[in-house]
């Protein structure tokens, strides 16, 4: 495999830390790719708490999760890294020039790797109802990408945690109607959020479970069954949003033979793992005194990128400040 077919850096994981690592790597003029297992960037912030207010992001007194990701993507888009979604890394093997990376879609090559997977690859807990997959990405959704889709629509939300309640709070301000289905009368979300939701026009369907889906003209017909009874009722909606949580794992790390401690990757001060040329950042790593904050990961990203670039180009002096780096991108000056 010729050197030109190798990426300088492959970033595994498209959460906020992975996105910023990709941005900074492109500022260093690295040839990079970012591989993400989900169908959108943003990781858990986008998938689990897009409407949650964050108070520990430097430079913002408060910012919602989705706005943080939007800002990171605006910054990232200036530098145009290669991004591959819906693709999971399955295996990494050493080559003469770096690494061979096998994903669910292809084999690719990279001089170095930065792992930014957080808690690991995760997928939504899907609705265990016959033919549910028939409606996926149409009237049945597991992610909220664009709130405006629900403008003036009848929306049913299934779930009882923070994400389901956050969705309901956001959507009920623009939708024609919102109903929330939960198997218990009590919700697991933040108390103040539940209180706000109960004061809204949201319809509460508790304790119910979804038992069947069908089509009715242009709508989705949702049959719900009351827990511990035979009582059933039907709801018609334009969209059904399901948030039953996510299944995550870091099991693949073991097959890569990277040293871990309690399923977290052990790193050196330059973010290098036990395998030379592979670095790790964010909540997937462990070192003494580390705090699990997005801000911490933002600081680790440039360390890992500069360490990787040092390994690839030991003769090139590291640029310390963005004013130096941006000189390489005249269109931004």
């Amino acid at each position: 495999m010729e050197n030109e077919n190798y990426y300088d850096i492959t970033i595994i994981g498209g959460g906020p830390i992975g996105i910023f690592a990709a941005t900074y790597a492109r500022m260093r003029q690295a040839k990079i790719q970012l591989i993400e297992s989900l169908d959108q960037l943003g990781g858990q912030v986008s998938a689990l708490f897009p409407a949650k207010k964050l108070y520990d992001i430097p430079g913002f007194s408060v910012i919602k999760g989705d706005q943080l990701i939007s800002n990171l993507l605006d910054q990232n888009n200036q530098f145009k890294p290669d991004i591959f979604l819906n693709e999971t890394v399955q295996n990494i093997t050493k080559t003469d020039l770096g690494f061979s990376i096998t994903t669910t879609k292809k084999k690719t090559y990279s001089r170095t790797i930065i792992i930014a997977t957080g808690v690991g690859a995760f997928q939504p807990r899907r609705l265990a109802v016959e033919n549910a997959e028939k409606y996926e990405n149409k009237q049945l959704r597991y992610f909220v990408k664009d709130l405006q889709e629900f403008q003036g629509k009848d929306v049913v939300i299934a779930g009882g945690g923070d994400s389901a309640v956050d969705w309901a709070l956001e959507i009920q301000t623009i939708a024609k109607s919102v109903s929330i289905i939960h198997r218990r009368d009590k919700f697991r979300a933040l108390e103040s959020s539940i209180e706000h939701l109960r004061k809204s026009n949201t319809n509460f369907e508790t304790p119910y479970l979804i038992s069947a889906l069908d089509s009715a003209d242009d709508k989705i017909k949702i049959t719900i069954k009351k827990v511990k009874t035979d009582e059933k009722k039907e709801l018609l909606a334009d969209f059904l949003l399901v948030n039953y949580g996510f299944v995550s794992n870091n099991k693949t790390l073991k097959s890569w033979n990277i040293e871990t401690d309690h399923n977290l990757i052990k790193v050196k001060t330059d973010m290098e793992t036990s395998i030379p040329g592979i670095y790790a950042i964010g909540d997937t790593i462990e070192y003494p005194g580390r705090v699990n904050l997005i801000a911490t990961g933002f600081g680790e990203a440039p360390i890992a990128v500069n360490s990787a670039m040092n390994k690839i180009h030991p003769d090139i002096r590291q640029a310390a400040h963005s004013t130096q780096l941006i000189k390489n991108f005249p269109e931004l000056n």
Side-chain angles (χ1 to χ4, degrees):
M1 180 57 60
E2 296 296 327
N3 189 38
E4 59 264 24
N5 292 326
Y6 274 69
Y7 283 95
D8 291 324
I9 302 173
T10 292
I11 297 168
I12 304 174
I17 311 308
I19 296 170
F20 180 61
T23 299
Y24 188 82
R26 285 294 298 128
M27 290 171 69
R28 288 294 317 268
Q29 291 194 302
K31 178 184 178 184
I32 79 139
Q33 64 175 335
L34 186 155
I35 301 174
E36 167 57 47
S37 63
L38 297 179
D39 63 356
Q40 63 179 352
L41 292 177
Q44 289 193 68
V45 175
S46 291
L48 300 181
F49 46 90
K52 183 177 180 181
K53 293 180 178 179
L54 307 175
Y55 295 91
D56 51 12
I57 305 299
F60 297 94
S61 56
V62 59
I63 186 170
K64 285 188 176 182
D66 56 359
Q67 187 58 55
L68 172 65
I69 299 304
S70 177
N71 290 357
L72 286 167
L73 291 177
D74 285 345
Q75 182 187 34
N76 183 265
N77 288 338
Q78 297 177 95
F79 302 98
K80 299 177 174 58
D82 289 349
I83 294 174
F84 301 99
L85 303 178
N86 273 323
E87 193 165 340
T88 301
V89 173
Q90 297 178 315
N91 194 35
I92 296 172
T93 56
K94 193 76 178 73
T95 67
D96 290 341
L97 296 177
F99 301 92
S100 168
I101 302 167
T102 303
T103 75
T104 49
K105 293 186 177 179
K106 64 179 182 291
K107 180 175 284 189
T108 184
Y109 298 87
S110 188
R111 297 288 300 278
T112 62
I113 294 171
I114 297 176
I115 300 171
T117 54
V119 296
F122 62 99
Q123 294 291 332
R125 293 186 187 276
R126 284 177 157 74
L127 185 62
V129 172
E130 186 178 358
N131 293 330
E133 66 277 2
K134 170 183 173 183
Y135 300 94
E136 282 188 19
N137 300 316
K138 297 173 185 175
Q139 291 157 309
L140 170 60
R141 305 290 180 85
Y142 293 101
F143 302 103
V144 175
K145 294 181 180 179
D146 181 7
L147 281 173
Q148 294 309 307
E149 264 193 302
F150 311 115
Q151 180 84 41
K153 303 295 185 180
D154 294 309
V155 182
V156 172
I157 298 171
D162 282 304
S163 293
V165 171
D166 284 347
W167 285 356
L169 282 170
E170 290 286 330
I171 293 169
Q172 59 89 25
T173 62
I174 60 172
K176 180 180 178 182
S177 71
V178 172
S179 299
I180 187 164
I181 304 166
H182 186 40
R183 60 181 176 173
R184 299 187 181 96
D185 289 318
K186 291 185 178 180
F187 288 77
R188 304 184 309 279
L190 193 67
E191 290 85 353
S192 57
S193 298
I194 298 167
E195 182 181 356
H196 287 147
L197 193 61
R198 290 196 182 278
K199 290 179 179 178
S200 72
N201 293 323
T202 300
N203 303 309
F204 286 79
E205 300 289 355
T206 62
Y208 280 93
L209 288 170
I210 297 174
S211 60
L213 297 179
D214 204 349
S215 299
D217 296 324
D218 293 330
K219 294 184 179 289
I220 185 169
K221 182 168 70 175
I222 306 157
T223 302
I224 60 176
K225 179 180 177 297
K226 195 165 188 178
V227 174
K228 296 181 180 179
T229 74
D230 293 326
E231 179 186 332
K232 292 183 179 180
K233 65 168 73 172
E234 294 177 348
L235 306 175
L236 289 178
D238 295 294
F239 293 100
L240 168 62
L241 308 181
V242 174
N243 189 273
Y244 289 160
F246 289 78
V247 180
S248 65
N249 73 75
N250 258 329
K251 291 180 181 178
T252 51
L253 289 178
K254 295 180 180 178
S255 67
W256 300 347
N257 296 316
I258 296 174
E259 186 178 353
T260 61
D261 182 15
H262 295 92
N263 293 320
L264 295 175
I265 300 172
K266 297 180 72 172
V267 296
K268 304 169 189 174
T269 54
D270 63 355
M271 301 298 122
E272 191 172 52
T273 69
S274 58
I275 299 178
I278 298 182
Y279 305 84
I281 56 179
D283 289 350
T284 193
I285 70 172
E286 183 274 334
Y287 55 78
R290 188 181 191 281
V291 181
N292 283 348
L293 293 176
I294 293 174
T296 306
F298 284 160
E300 293 160 351
I303 297 173
V305 169
N306 286 325
S307 299
M309 292 299 285
N310 231 10
K311 183 174 287 291
I312 299 167
H313 305 291
D315 54 324
I316 298 178
R317 188 175 70 85
Q318 173 181 316
H321 305 292
S322 62
T323 48
Q324 293 174 275
L325 299 174
I326 296 302
K327 290 177 182 177
N328 298 319
F329 296 88
E331 68 274 15
L332 299 180
N333 291 322

